[in-house]
Every structure is written in structure tokens, then in C-alpha cells.
Amino acid sequence: MPGVTVATRGGVGSRLLAAMSYLGILCLIPLMVNRDDEYVAFHARQGLVLWIWAVVAFVAVAVPGFGPAFFRISSMAIPVLALAGLVSVLANRAWMLPLVYGLARRL
């Protein structure tokens, strides 16, 4: 995955908030607390897209036919992408997650 050059300003605090971005609804905390930090905002936006995707997948289960298949695919893809996001935070990088970054940059 290619990386994006995003400077970290807050050190360990920024990395903790960035890691929190990939833990479901907790992605809202970095968005509210430290949105002015470009590194945190990058990860928080990607985490927000993953969380919204998870909510849509959960609701889609009720749709006959396509819904359960979408949920199964999403329930495999979302944790893998979230783990990739966490690894990028541990590596102090800003990886553009496939299927996610395109939507996240529009937020």
C-alpha cells in the first residue's frame, strides 16, 4: 500500500488518537478532540468510513438477497482494513486504505 506524507505533530498522543480511529464508533473521539492534527484527521476519516460501512452492512442484513452477502463480505473486509490501519499507525505512516481512502478524503 502506498503511503501519504502526513506530518505527525503530537507524538504519542497523536498516535493513540490515530489508533483509536480504527476501533469502531471510537473514531468519533479523534474527530472531535484533535481534528487540527493532520495525521489524526487522516486516520479518523478513514476510521469513520469503516464504521459507516459497518453500520450499513449491519442494516443490509435485512435486505433479502443481496443484504446477507454484502454483510458477509463486509464482515471479512472491514476487520482486515481496520487492522491495516492500525499497523500503519504503529509504523507511524499514513497508508491509503483501498476502498476507503477515496471516500475518506471527501469528508
Side-chain angles (χ1 to χ4, degrees):
M1 279 188 248
V4 174
T5 305
V6 179
T8 64
R9 289 190 296 173
V12 175
S14 288
R15 288 177 73 183
L16 286 174
L17 284 171
M20 192 181 295
S21 300
Y22 296 102
L23 301 177
I25 196 166
L26 294 179
C27 69
L28 297 175
I29 294 171
L31 282 173
M32 290 186 277
V33 172
N34 206 2
R35 190 175 187 130
D36 59 330
D37 185 337
E38 188 179 348
Y39 182 74
V40 173
F42 175 87
H43 289 288
R45 287 191 304 266
Q46 288 195 141
L48 180 63
V49 169
L50 287 173
W51 180 66
I52 291 170
W53 182 4
V55 170
V56 169
F58 182 74
V59 172
V61 170
V63 177
F66 177 72
F70 177 70
F71 177 78
R72 274 186 248 116
I73 292 167
S74 297
S75 66
M76 290 184 282
I78 293 169
V80 169
L81 292 169
L83 182 61
L86 286 170
V87 168
S88 76
V89 170
L90 291 174
N92 206 21
R93 298 288 312 261
W95 291 340
M96 297 179 286
L97 298 177
L99 306 172
V100 175
Y101 177 73
L103 295 171
R105 71 176 178 193
R106 294 183 181 128
L107 295 177

